[in-house]
Amino acid sequence: MNPSSILSSPARAGLVSNLPAQRQERILSEVARNGGARVSELTELLGVSDMTVRRDLDALARRGLVKKVHGGATLPRTGSTDEPGFQAKSRRERPAKDAIARRAAELVTPGSAVAVTAGTTTHALARQLTRVPELTVVTNSLPVAEAFDMGGRPDQTVVLSGGVRTPSDALVGPVAVRAIRSLHVDWAFMGVHGIDPEAGFTSPNLLEAETNRAVLAAARRLVVLADHTKWGVVGLSTIASLDQASVLITDTGLEPEACEALAARVGELVMVEPEED
């Protein structure tokens, strides 16, 4: 069932009835509007305990209307080609993405050349990198390029590839691939759609996966930035195998079994603690 099919009546602002059906309708409305919701946000919105919210999320998950993740819920993924837009993804797991971005920025020293692929976690990284002097940034992401433009630093150079725009605001295709293949960078910082032991790092978009592979080929070292919700998700096309990542930075919401599997495959697994909003 599609979540939007049961949202016919608008949810009232403020506190809602204690009837489970009305609470769950409001929860679905929030998840559908933002692409996800945290338990802490929902308890404040609904005026109920976190246990009540978790029971409602359990009920919605059993019906396939949401996907439970650590600390909240997101929209269920519909398949290997599902590709939410940039704005919808930017609202998901923001504390984790910000913590991952801060840790990734510590790897970059003044005078470096880095590639930053499209994605909401890499966009968070771009905001951190605007403070690094004498930096050259290669990107196929319009939001990433805009983040540096707003920084107004004359000592930073941004190289934006051309290409065809995707729902995630990435520039992809033959033009982007040719531009990126002619360059050489110290670090590639890459966001991914999913991480799987067999499929590796994946994307739902064939052209974006091809463009990201060109970024990987242009870099001395690959750093993958991915929050814990990416584990077990498989997109249509593989970008890289797990052992091609020099560093994988994720958050502490990752399950212990996943940590063990990743630590055995990637060059270095870095776990960060998200800060509450």
Side-chain angles (χ1 to χ4, degrees):
M1 182 185 296
N2 190 314
S4 61
S5 65
I6 64 170
L7 299 179
S8 55
S9 62
R12 295 189 299 273
L15 301 183
V16 299
S17 166
N18 285 329
L19 292 175
Q22 290 180 306
R23 285 197 312 271
Q24 290 166 22
E25 180 179 350
R26 187 64 184 276
I27 290 171
L28 275 176
S29 177
E30 289 298 304
V31 172
R33 181 168 63 89
N34 297 320
R38 297 177 65 83
V39 171
S40 57
E41 297 168 343
L42 293 172
T43 55
E44 182 176 352
L45 177 71
L46 301 174
V48 296
S49 69
D50 62 348
M51 187 63 68
T52 298
V53 169
R54 293 180 191 279
R55 283 199 298 267
D56 286 336
L57 292 178
D58 286 337
L60 293 169
R62 285 195 297 269
R63 296 161 62 191
L65 299 176
V66 302
K67 176 186 176 183
K68 286 192 67 180
V69 297
H70 181 75
T74 65
L75 288 173
R77 300 185 186 273
T78 59
S80 60
T81 59
D82 175 47
E83 187 174 10
F86 182 86
Q87 291 301 323
K89 289 192 293 184
S90 67
R91 299 185 181 99
R92 302 179 184 177
E93 303 297 327
R94 281 183 294 187
K97 292 175 181 179
D98 288 341
I100 291 168
R102 286 191 294 270
R103 180 64 181 85
E106 295 175 4
L107 298 173
V108 181
T109 56
S112 298
V114 302
V116 181
T117 70
T120 52
T121 311
T122 49
H123 181 246
L125 169 63
R127 296 196 299 269
Q128 298 289 327
L129 293 181
T130 57
R131 297 189 286 270
V132 179
E134 301 177 6
L135 188 66
T136 298
V137 179
V138 177
T139 186
N140 67 324
S141 166
L142 293 170
V144 166
E146 290 168 357
F148 285 96
D149 286 344
M150 289 185 292
R153 292 188 63 110
D155 60 329
Q156 292 183 330
T157 301
V158 178
V159 180
L160 179 63
S161 74
V164 179
R165 190 172 183 172
T166 71
S168 61
D169 282 346
L171 298 175
V172 301
V175 172
V177 169
R178 281 197 299 271
I180 292 167
R181 280 180 177 167
S182 66
L183 303 173
H184 305 280
V185 296
D186 301 306
W187 296 93
F189 294 94
M190 186 175 295
V192 297
H193 175 77
I195 306 173
D196 180 81
E198 300 300 325
F201 302 111
T202 61
S203 168
N205 188 299
L206 287 171
L207 290 177
E208 188 162 357
E210 180 187 20
T211 305
N212 284 354
R213 286 193 291 270
V215 171
L216 173 58
R220 293 174 58 197
R221 289 159 291 188
L222 170 65
V223 183
V224 175
L225 314 181
D227 68 77
H228 70 278
T229 65
K230 305 299 178 67
W231 175 254
V233 176
V234 178
L236 180 64
S237 181
T238 294
I239 303 166
S241 61
L242 298 184
D243 56 14
Q244 287 180 272
S246 300
V247 184
L248 169 60
I249 307 178
T250 187
D251 64 279
T252 52
L254 194 66
E255 297 295 332
E257 296 81 3
C259 294
E260 292 178 10
L262 289 170
R265 297 283 301 277
V266 302
E268 180 182 2
L269 177 64
V270 178
M271 310 280 288
V272 296
E273 183 70 37
E275 296 180 5
E276 289 296 328
D277 285 329

